Amino acid sequence: MVRVGILGATGYTAAELLRILLRHPHVRVTVATSRQQRTRIDQVHPALRGRIDLWCEDLSPEAVAERADCVFCALPHGASFSVVPALVERGCRVIDLSADYRLHDAAVYREWYGLEHGDPQRLGEAVYGLPELPVRRARITDARLIANPGCYTSTSILALAPLVAGGHVRREGIVIDAKSGVSGAGRTPKPHTLFCECNESVSAYAVGRHRHTPEIEQELSEVAGAAVQVVFTPHLMPMDRGILATIYTDPLTDRTETQWLDLYREYYRGSPFVRVTEALPATKDVAGTNFFDVTVRRHSGKLVVLACLDNLIKGAAGVAVQNFNLMYGFEETTALL
Amino acid sequence: MVRVGILGATGYTAAELLRILLRHPHVRVTVATSRQQRTRIDQVHPALRGRIDLWCEDLSPEAVAERADCVFCALPHGASFSVVPALVERGCRVIDLSADYRLHDAAVYREWYGLEHGDPQRLGEAVYGLPELPVRRARITDARLIANPGCYTSTSILALAPLVAGGHVRREGIVIDAKSGVSGAGRTPKPHTLFCECNESVSAYAVGRHRHTPEIEQELSEVAGAAVQVVFTPHLMPMDRGILATIYTDPLTDRTETQWLDLYREYYRGSPFVRVTEALPATKDVAGTNFFDVTVRRHSGKLVVLACLDNLIKGAAGVAVQNFNLMYGFEETTALL
Amino acid sequence: MVRVGILGATGYTAAELLRILLRHPHVRVTVATSRQQRTRIDQVHPALRGRIDLWCEDLSPEAVAERADCVFCALPHGASFSVVPALVERGCRVIDLSADYRLHDAAVYREWYGLEHGDPQRLGEAVYGLPELPVRRARITDARLIANPGCYTSTSILALAPLVAGGHVRREGIVIDAKSGVSGAGRTPKPHTLFCECNESVSAYAVGRHRHTPEIEQELSEVAGAAVQVVFTPHLMPMDRGILATIYTDPLTDRTETQWLDLYREYYRGSPFVRVTEALPATKDVAGTNFFDVTVRRHSGKLVVLACLDNLIKGAAGVAVQNFNLMYGFEETTALL
Amino acid sequence: MVRVGILGATGYTAAELLRILLRHPHVRVTVATSRQQRTRIDQVHPALRGRIDLWCEDLSPEAVAERADCVFCALPHGASFSVVPALVERGCRVIDLSADYRLHDAAVYREWYGLEHGDPQRLGEAVYGLPELPVRRARITDARLIANPGCYTSTSILALAPLVAGGHVRREGIVIDAKSGVSGAGRTPKPHTLFCECNESVSAYAVGRHRHTPEIEQELSEVAGAAVQVVFTPHLMPMDRGILATIYTDPLTDRTETQWLDLYREYYRGSPFVRVTEALPATKDVAGTNFFDVTVRRHSGKLVVLACLDNLIKGAAGVAVQNFNLMYGFEETTALL
């Protein structure tokens, strides 16, 4: 039984983590932290009433390390790098769901997050936790610190990896038009995430400056073995959860749609959460699951990739538990089907 | 006072038409038709209770022509070309909201709609009713038959016209990623427009084969004076109304965002329903109005155009009344603000 | 042309007020105030872009009084009674959309709002602005200060007035089960009005202690000429706007449904915004309008009244303009159809 | 391993059943039927892609009985009683999710469903499958035929059973104001369940004549040992799933809210899916779960009960599996947490 701690237990991602971990036969959640709210977990997340008897506490990382073997860190970026070092040094294995350890380069972090990174030496050590990428998967098993990927990032990388890995598309000017539910914006009240602002509305935001951009390019470049450049545009959709990415690429080789799909199936052979489909994917079909659905269409000279996942699960809490399973030698799908 | 008839009065577009026309000081709606339902208009459209005392009738075009000076035809494609000739021949001016008279070429119509056009000789006579296009506006005033544009089409054309008119972007490979509310799919019950199928879901549909594609290309090519080719992908959003198009172009000239916006402002000078904005547009801000909002962003070498309108109003009923106003010499904004 | 000012111009109600007043042929909006935001109105309300050239200012009531003949006060309760006296004393006519002048009794105000009323002497002077109530309508014409009714309140009172006026139902134990869209909760970010909290959820709130309760009882008691007691339960629905009240009464007289409907029709004869319907009302049919729809059903010994309106319009901004029209002798429906 | 069959496998309830049963360690789904669609299950329910390899077949009950030990019958009312006899006679245990075996009296069935019951002699044998009712639970274990309760019914009965069992409230004039998501209306396309009809709208329907009424009264009367009469009003909410019932009763005994809650806790001791809460319940907190949440409020002389569940799970597929678990001696919560 692995003793698990959750830092930042009041957000939507933490709620999903708890829901999943409560189904995990080899996990006991022993500690949950919050700076603001010292209440029972089920008062913060009423959906968990009757499922868990735990309080949110305001604890130091040292205190957490005494009660947990593995810590899921669901803090905001900038807060993670202040607590992760103490956890790792005390022997905890850490799965960090913030952006703090995703980028390899502290200068890029500073540029996009406007912060000096507080733990830059550990950037090289952290393993980017996208287990479907062969280059990442091998290292996850032994990782002490996982940088859990962003939601837009996972969608985009998984959608493009088979193409850029084989050099099948132009590596520049890849258009990623992504549509997300509102839960990705978090639970802190802000004007633009009020019901009456989001409901019955669709809009783009952060055009050209969304922070998942360098993460997408970093990982895809590693997969490709050469620089990949994307045009990433996120949009807010009036729904709770789900991301659909519609991706426009310029193919360099000529294949039928069936052949393209076969290429995806081959690349993701052995990945239990990737579903290569012939039908057009819909976010509803992955909502509440750890699945990633993807298809392709040839269209007016472009190769269009359509892909979706649940941003809170495959895009956050689910892949975190998937990484956890690999780290501890459990069946990869444990608690995730 | 113009006597107005509405053919196909039971759908969502007709409801909007009626709502707008009831505010029009120079209009009297004298006749409404439906093949299926012979009920009071306000039973079909309860929102209009107390506003209008009219029944849906199953009438021949000849009978309609006796009671109306101008006819808005809100029938499905394939049905319009069966009634429009009789109306026009009897002296009615017709604003056809179907796709039947939008394409200049009967062969293109056959290819995309799978039908032999029943009135091909009138394709040349019909005026494409997008009054913001200088080349169209002049002819609308005297038109006897208006082909009212499609909703995706208007969004796409208005978003791109200033760019292709001046040769400012590459004319090939223009990516139009469009997101629409469900009302665009009409009021006939179909499995995919059920609440529980659309709600909390986002998906693409008809990738590479949506019928608004040839219409977009036809009009933009005319504006450009040379062939324009687009990659158009429609998506269904969980909301009633609104279309947002995110359009990715390759700029051929170098300008700042401010200069691009000025180019739009200049092109649409005198167009009361076009709002060139600095902020990113949201469908909510145009819902229920005849406005078209547009902005641009330079982003990773692309010039991204973001544009939206209400598919039932500026994308259908509203622009129809705007055309009507121009045809009859009324103030362009009458009943539309 | 009446010069109109709006205090508290950044909320949802103010947006509706502006939208309606921009259509009013006899109104010029000359001043808009906000304590927080000194921005252009159309930056706060992007839907109004291109419609109005006005800035939010932080002004004293004295300064407002110099630029406006009539002031719509859309401030929170507790803020209105601080500015209304200065406005009235300088000759402005005031339509107050807060709760501050609705209750006749300062002690009841203190009990329900937890505040000492700052202008108790004016409670008797203010006219409760529900023009469909004969007793109120007469006084609205000459009023200097209108207490514009609450949204739940209008729905409940209009649904019950014909019954209690004639003594047709028991005056105790009237169950009002009310369902409201989220816009009624205002535009200030709060945890419970976030999209992801409201969407896909239905719940009751403030059971037994909602502040519209004393207002409903006060007005119905006046209509009845004897104390009326209600059991009022509000619920939050996942939609922008609209209130549906399902009301359970014990009839004291025996009538058919048709006879009950006739009683309603008779009571509301001459009320252009009340629609007595045979069909069950739906909030969608009144959304965006100033209509109030109502029907009745006999059911298991109860007389069930079902009624709805748009909380931002007939429940707030629309009835405010209706009152304005009556105060200034304009046609009651001006700018409201 | 129990071999399970599902009749009527294309609807929303069947999708939930499959999702739950795929998690059940002692179940193998061996057969699924549909009259219309002979396609793979995951084409009908794309969310199940990669989870199940099964086709919908059009089979006789005899053929089904050869391949299944237990059959979940998710057919419409009127269709169930045509196939259940053959299944039961061949030794299958049947959990019928239609209304066909819920009412004890064929005359009542005829009155409310407008059909002559085709298998009236089995009405007495079928066990009403609400395991939280002590009187029902005992018989479920040995049942050959379970009449799985309706969704509104379960909500109403569970909310009221503790009160009527002890004679704590008046048994007449109990007002049940119920609000439901749209999935309760099924997957067959109908005009009133289109997205654009339901979205942004709230309305009552079938006032005084909803078919769950006799079922509620039958079961509550049995619990009370005397006739219980309710005023039941269903409403449609713009959301996928969830029912909230707000119930107004006249208490006959005097207790504090805490004492009322204790009474509920005592009644439901040992019921793992009932959560008696102090906070007001919200449908979101039970969505996707088999929980039933309930609280009470004293309010203006009434005792108000507020209760909710997920109509597709605790109101249909979940309670069906709960019954299945009891029938086969599995842990009651298997596959349901």
Side-chain angles (χ1 to χ4, degrees):
Chain A
M1 195 65 70
V2 183
R3 298 175 308 156
V4 161
I6 297 180
L7 306 191
T10 60
Y12 292 134
T13 303
E16 281 301 318
L17 263 178
L18 285 161
R19 198 180 60 77
I20 296 168
L21 292 173
L22 285 169
R23 277 192 183 142
H24 202 295
H26 308 303
V27 162
R28 193 152 48 87
V29 181
T30 53
V31 55
T33 76
S34 166
R35 293 230 185 115
Q36 283 83 39
Q37 303 184 266
R38 302 186 197 178
T39 52
R40 289 175 53 86
I41 281 285
D42 59 3
Q43 286 185 290
V44 185
H45 303 301
L48 297 176
R49 270 194 292 247
R51 304 294 314 281
I52 184 167
D53 186 18
L54 197 70
W55 286 70
C56 291
E57 301 171 83
D58 183 7
L59 294 176
S60 68
E62 291 78 7
V64 170
E66 284 182 16
R67 287 153 63 181
D69 306 310
C70 181
V71 174
F72 291 81
C73 183
L75 299 173
H77 71 265
S80 268
F81 64 56
S82 304
V83 299
V84 163
L87 292 167
V88 172
E89 283 156 19
R90 268 154 196 78
C92 284
R93 299 178 84 172
V94 176
I95 297 169
D96 180 32
L97 289 93
S98 87
D100 278 1
Y101 293 92
R102 292 180 195 157
L103 298 171
H104 299 338
D105 186 339
V108 177
Y109 183 86
R110 187 191 315 116
E111 180 191 342
W112 286 84
Y113 290 87
L115 282 177
E116 199 61 41
H117 200 290
D119 185 26
Q121 64 280 11
R122 217 169 250 104
L123 291 182
E125 181 193 333
V127 178
Y128 195 83
L130 199 47
E132 283 79 10
L133 298 187
V135 62
R136 300 300 175 212
R137 185 181 186 87
R139 293 186 56 207
I140 290 171
T141 317
D142 301 319
R144 299 216 61 80
L145 172 57
I146 294 282
N148 210 58
C151 50
Y152 283 125
T153 326
S154 290
T155 319
S156 303
I157 297 172
L158 293 176
L160 283 163
L163 298 183
V164 303
H168 300 293
V169 294
R170 269 189 71 225
R171 290 197 314 275
E172 296 82 38
I174 297 174
V175 169
I176 305 175
D177 192 281
K179 297 95 177 158
S180 174
V182 183
S183 58
R187 202 177 183 182
T188 307
K190 294 170 208 150
H192 73 282
T193 52
L194 287 181
F195 183 85
C196 292
E197 302 292 319
C198 301
N199 187 43
E200 294 295 291
S201 197
V202 164
S203 61
Y205 67 100
V207 178
R209 49 191 185 73
H210 193 281
R211 287 159 167 172
H212 285 179
T213 309
E215 198 182 323
I216 296 170
E217 295 187 340
Q218 167 186 292
E219 293 299 305
L220 284 179
S221 298
E222 198 133 338
V223 169
V228 171
Q229 180 261 337
V230 302
V231 182
F232 173 69
T233 313
H235 298 75
L236 212 55
M237 302 287 112
M239 62 184 190
D240 275 4
R241 48 169 79 191
I243 288 177
L244 179 78
T246 312
I247 302 178
Y248 302 85
T249 68
D250 297 307
L252 299 175
T253 59
D254 192 31
R255 289 157 197 255
T256 62
E257 279 179 9
T258 304
Q259 289 171 325
W260 286 116
L261 292 176
D262 284 343
L263 185 143
Y264 273 76
R265 290 195 186 98
E266 182 59 33
Y267 190 87
Y268 287 122
R269 184 182 306 279
S271 293
F273 295 115
V274 175
R275 303 191 293 198
V276 180
T277 75
E278 282 164 39
L280 292 169
T283 61
K284 192 155 210 161
D285 295 332
V286 295
T289 83
N290 199 50
F291 286 108
F292 167 79
D293 283 6
V294 63
T295 197
V296 298
R297 288 288 185 279
R298 293 176 63 182
H299 172 14
S300 311
K302 298 279 182 187
L303 182 66
V304 184
V305 188
L306 300 115
C308 65
L309 51 68
D310 181 320
N311 56 302
L312 290 180
I313 304 185
K314 185 59 181 162
V319 71
V321 174
Q322 191 181 349
N323 285 320
F324 170 86
N325 286 336
L326 293 171
M327 288 162 75
Y328 284 89
F330 303 129
E331 176 69 36
E332 187 172 357
T333 57
T334 309
L336 291 170
L337 286 180
Chain B
M1 195 67 68
V2 182
R3 296 175 307 155
V4 161
I6 297 181
L7 307 191
T10 60
Y12 293 136
T13 302
E16 282 300 318
L17 262 178
L18 284 160
R19 198 181 59 78
I20 296 168
L21 291 173
L22 285 169
R23 277 194 183 138
H24 202 296
H26 308 302
V27 162
R28 193 152 47 89
V29 181
T30 52
V31 55
T33 75
S34 166
R35 294 231 184 115
Q36 282 82 39
Q37 303 185 265
R38 303 188 196 178
T39 51
R40 288 175 52 86
I41 280 286
D42 59 3
Q43 285 184 291
V44 185
H45 304 301
L48 297 176
R49 270 195 292 248
R51 304 294 312 283
I52 184 169
D53 185 19
L54 197 71
W55 286 71
C56 290
E57 301 171 84
D58 184 7
L59 295 176
S60 69
E62 290 77 7
V64 170
E66 285 181 15
R67 286 153 62 181
D69 307 308
C70 180
V71 174
F72 291 81
C73 182
L75 299 173
H77 70 264
S80 268
F81 64 55
S82 306
V83 299
V84 163
L87 291 167
V88 173
E89 285 156 18
R90 268 154 197 78
C92 283
R93 300 179 82 173
V94 176
I95 298 170
D96 180 32
L97 289 93
S98 87
D100 278 1
Y101 292 93
R102 293 179 194 157
L103 297 171
H104 299 340
D105 185 338
V108 178
Y109 183 86
R110 187 191 315 114
E111 178 191 343
W112 286 84
Y113 289 88
L115 283 177
E116 200 60 42
H117 200 291
D119 186 26
Q121 64 281 13
R122 219 171 248 103
L123 290 182
E125 178 193 336
V127 179
Y128 195 82
L130 199 47
E132 283 80 9
L133 297 186
V135 62
R136 299 302 175 210
R137 185 182 187 86
R139 294 185 55 208
I140 291 170
T141 317
D142 300 320
R144 298 216 60 79
L145 171 58
I146 293 282
N148 210 58
C151 50
Y152 283 125
T153 325
S154 289
T155 320
S156 304
I157 296 171
L158 293 176
L160 283 163
L163 298 183
V164 304
H168 300 293
V169 295
R170 269 189 70 225
R171 290 197 315 274
E172 296 83 36
I174 297 174
V175 169
I176 304 175
D177 192 281
K179 297 95 177 158
S180 174
V182 183
S183 58
R187 203 176 183 182
T188 307
K190 294 169 207 150
H192 74 282
T193 52
L194 286 181
F195 184 85
C196 291
E197 303 293 319
C198 300
N199 187 41
E200 294 296 291
S201 198
V202 164
S203 62
Y205 67 99
V207 179
R209 48 191 186 73
H210 193 281
R211 288 159 167 170
H212 285 180
T213 309
E215 196 181 325
I216 296 170
E217 294 186 341
Q218 167 187 290
E219 292 299 304
L220 284 178
S221 298
E222 197 133 340
V223 169
V228 171
Q229 179 261 336
V230 302
V231 183
F232 173 68
T233 313
H235 297 76
L236 211 54
M237 303 287 112
M239 61 184 192
D240 275 5
R241 50 168 79 189
I243 287 177
L244 179 78
T246 312
I247 303 178
Y248 302 85
T249 68
D250 297 307
L252 298 176
T253 60
D254 192 32
R255 290 159 197 253
T256 62
E257 280 179 11
T258 305
Q259 289 171 326
W260 285 117
L261 292 176
D262 283 343
L263 186 142
Y264 275 75
R265 289 194 187 99
E266 182 58 33
Y267 191 87
Y268 287 122
R269 185 182 307 279
S271 292
F273 294 115
V274 175
R275 302 191 295 197
V276 180
T277 76
E278 283 164 39
L280 292 168
T283 60
K284 192 155 210 160
D285 296 332
V286 294
T289 83
N290 199 49
F291 286 108
F292 167 78
D293 283 6
V294 63
T295 196
V296 298
R297 288 288 186 278
R298 294 177 62 182
H299 173 13
S300 310
K302 297 280 182 186
L303 182 68
V304 184
V305 188
L306 299 115
C308 64
L309 52 67
D310 182 320
N311 56 301
L312 291 180
I313 304 186
K314 183 59 181 161
V319 71
V321 175
Q322 190 182 348
N323 285 321
F324 170 86
N325 286 335
L326 293 171
M327 289 162 76
Y328 284 89
F330 303 128
E331 177 69 35
E332 187 172 358
T333 57
T334 309
L336 291 169
L337 286 181
Chain C
M1 194 67 69
V2 183
R3 297 175 308 155
V4 161
I6 297 181
L7 306 191
T10 60
Y12 293 134
T13 303
E16 280 301 319
L17 262 177
L18 285 160
R19 198 180 60 77
I20 296 168
L21 292 173
L22 285 169
R23 277 194 182 138
H24 201 296
H26 308 303
V27 163
R28 192 153 47 88
V29 181
T30 53
V31 55
T33 76
S34 165
R35 293 230 185 116
Q36 283 82 38
Q37 303 184 267
R38 302 188 197 178
T39 51
R40 290 174 52 86
I41 280 286
D42 59 3
Q43 284 184 293
V44 185
H45 303 301
L48 298 176
R49 270 194 292 249
R51 305 295 312 284
I52 184 168
D53 186 19
L54 197 70
W55 286 70
C56 291
E57 302 172 82
D58 184 7
L59 294 177
S60 68
E62 290 77 7
V64 171
E66 284 182 17
R67 286 152 62 181
D69 307 309
C70 180
V71 174
F72 291 81
C73 183
L75 299 172
H77 72 264
S80 268
F81 63 57
S82 304
V83 299
V84 163
L87 292 167
V88 173
E89 283 156 19
R90 267 154 197 80
C92 284
R93 300 179 83 173
V94 176
I95 298 170
D96 180 32
L97 289 92
S98 86
D100 278 1
Y101 292 93
R102 293 179 194 157
L103 298 171
H104 300 339
D105 185 338
V108 177
Y109 183 86
R110 188 191 312 115
E111 181 190 341
W112 286 84
Y113 288 88
L115 283 177
E116 200 62 41
H117 200 290
D119 186 26
Q121 65 281 10
R122 217 170 251 104
L123 291 182
E125 181 194 334
V127 178
Y128 195 83
L130 199 47
E132 283 80 9
L133 297 187
V135 62
R136 299 301 175 211
R137 185 183 187 86
R139 293 187 54 210
I140 290 171
T141 317
D142 301 319
R144 298 216 60 80
L145 172 57
I146 294 282
N148 209 58
C151 51
Y152 283 125
T153 325
S154 289
T155 320
S156 304
I157 296 171
L158 293 176
L160 283 163
L163 298 183
V164 303
H168 300 294
V169 295
R170 269 189 70 226
R171 290 197 315 274
E172 294 83 39
I174 297 173
V175 169
I176 304 174
D177 192 280
K179 298 96 178 157
S180 174
V182 183
S183 58
R187 203 176 183 182
T188 307
K190 293 170 208 151
H192 74 281
T193 52
L194 287 181
F195 184 84
C196 292
E197 302 292 319
C198 300
N199 186 42
E200 294 296 291
S201 197
V202 164
S203 61
Y205 67 100
V207 179
R209 49 189 187 74
H210 193 281
R211 287 159 167 171
H212 286 180
T213 310
E215 197 181 324
I216 296 169
E217 294 186 341
Q218 166 186 293
E219 292 299 304
L220 285 179
S221 298
E222 199 133 337
V223 169
V228 170
Q229 181 261 335
V230 303
V231 183
F232 173 68
T233 313
H235 299 75
L236 211 56
M237 303 287 111
M239 60 183 193
D240 275 4
R241 49 169 78 191
I243 288 177
L244 179 78
T246 313
I247 302 179
Y248 302 86
T249 68
D250 298 306
L252 298 175
T253 59
D254 193 30
R255 289 158 198 254
T256 62
E257 280 180 10
T258 303
Q259 289 171 325
W260 286 117
L261 292 176
D262 284 343
L263 185 143
Y264 274 75
R265 290 194 186 98
E266 181 59 33
Y267 190 86
Y268 288 121
R269 183 182 308 279
S271 292
F273 295 114
V274 175
R275 303 191 293 197
V276 180
T277 75
E278 282 164 39
L280 292 169
T283 61
K284 192 155 210 161
D285 296 332
V286 295
T289 83
N290 200 48
F291 286 108
F292 167 79
D293 283 6
V294 62
T295 196
V296 298
R297 288 290 185 279
R298 293 176 64 183
H299 172 14
S300 310
K302 298 279 183 187
L303 182 68
V304 184
V305 188
L306 300 114
C308 65
L309 52 68
D310 182 320
N311 55 301
L312 291 180
I313 304 184
K314 183 61 181 160
V319 70
V321 175
Q322 191 181 348
N323 284 320
F324 169 87
N325 286 336
L326 294 171
M327 288 163 75
Y328 284 89
F330 303 128
E331 177 69 36
E332 187 171 358
T333 57
T334 309
L336 291 170
L337 286 181
Chain D
M1 196 66 70
V2 183
R3 298 175 307 155
V4 161
I6 297 182
L7 306 191
T10 60
Y12 293 134
T13 302
E16 280 301 318
L17 262 178
L18 284 161
R19 198 181 59 78
I20 296 169
L21 292 172
L22 285 169
R23 277 194 182 140
H24 202 296
H26 308 302
V27 163
R28 194 152 47 88
V29 181
T30 52
V31 55
T33 75
S34 166
R35 294 229 185 116
Q36 282 83 38
Q37 303 185 267
R38 300 185 199 180
T39 53
R40 290 176 51 86
I41 280 286
D42 58 4
Q43 285 185 291
V44 184
H45 304 300
L48 297 176
R49 270 195 291 247
R51 304 295 314 281
I52 184 168
D53 186 19
L54 198 70
W55 286 70
C56 290
E57 302 172 82
D58 184 7
L59 295 176
S60 69
E62 292 76 7
V64 171
E66 285 182 15
R67 287 152 62 180
D69 308 307
C70 181
V71 174
F72 291 81
C73 183
L75 299 172
H77 71 263
S80 267
F81 63 56
S82 305
V83 298
V84 164
L87 292 166
V88 173
E89 284 157 17
R90 268 152 196 81
C92 283
R93 299 179 83 173
V94 176
I95 298 170
D96 180 32
L97 289 92
S98 87
D100 278 1
Y101 292 92
R102 294 180 193 156
L103 298 171
H104 299 340
D105 186 339
V108 177
Y109 183 86
R110 188 191 313 113
E111 179 190 342
W112 286 84
Y113 290 88
L115 283 178
E116 200 61 41
H117 200 291
D119 186 26
Q121 64 281 12
R122 218 170 249 104
L123 290 182
E125 180 194 333
V127 178
Y128 195 83
L130 199 47
E132 283 79 9
L133 297 186
V135 63
R136 299 299 174 213
R137 185 182 187 85
R139 294 185 55 209
I140 291 170
T141 317
D142 301 320
R144 297 217 62 80
L145 172 57
I146 294 282
N148 210 58
C151 51
Y152 283 125
T153 326
S154 289
T155 319
S156 304
I157 296 172
L158 293 176
L160 283 164
L163 298 183
V164 303
H168 299 294
V169 295
R170 270 188 71 225
R171 290 198 313 275
E172 295 83 38
I174 297 174
V175 169
I176 304 174
D177 191 279
K179 296 96 178 159
S180 174
V182 182
S183 59
R187 202 175 182 181
T188 307
K190 294 169 207 151
H192 74 284
T193 53
L194 286 181
F195 184 85
C196 292
E197 303 292 319
C198 300
N199 186 42
E200 294 295 293
S201 197
V202 164
S203 61
Y205 67 99
V207 179
R209 49 191 185 72
H210 193 279
R211 287 157 168 174
H212 286 180
T213 309
E215 197 181 324
I216 296 170
E217 293 187 340
Q218 167 186 291
E219 292 299 303
L220 285 178
S221 298
E222 198 134 337
V223 169
V228 170
Q229 179 261 335
V230 303
V231 182
F232 173 69
T233 314
H235 298 75
L236 212 54
M237 303 287 111
M239 61 184 191
D240 275 4
R241 50 168 78 193
I243 288 176
L244 178 77
T246 312
I247 302 178
Y248 302 85
T249 68
D250 298 306
L252 298 175
T253 60
D254 192 31
R255 290 158 197 253
T256 62
E257 279 179 10
T258 305
Q259 289 171 327
W260 285 117
L261 292 176
D262 283 344
L263 185 142
Y264 274 76
R265 289 194 186 99
E266 181 59 34
Y267 191 87
Y268 287 121
R269 184 182 307 279
S271 291
F273 294 114
V274 175
R275 303 190 294 198
V276 180
T277 75
E278 283 165 38
L280 292 169
T283 60
K284 191 155 210 161
D285 296 332
V286 295
T289 83
N290 200 48
F291 286 109
F292 167 78
D293 283 5
V294 63
T295 196
V296 298
R297 289 288 186 278
R298 294 176 62 183
H299 173 13
S300 311
K302 297 279 182 187
L303 182 67
V304 184
V305 189
L306 300 115
C308 65
L309 51 68
D310 182 320
N311 56 301
L312 290 180
I313 304 185
K314 184 59 181 160
V319 71
V321 175
Q322 191 181 349
N323 285 320
F324 170 87
N325 286 336
L326 293 171
M327 289 163 76
Y328 284 88
F330 304 129
E331 177 69 36
E332 187 172 356
T333 57
T334 308
L336 291 169
L337 286 181

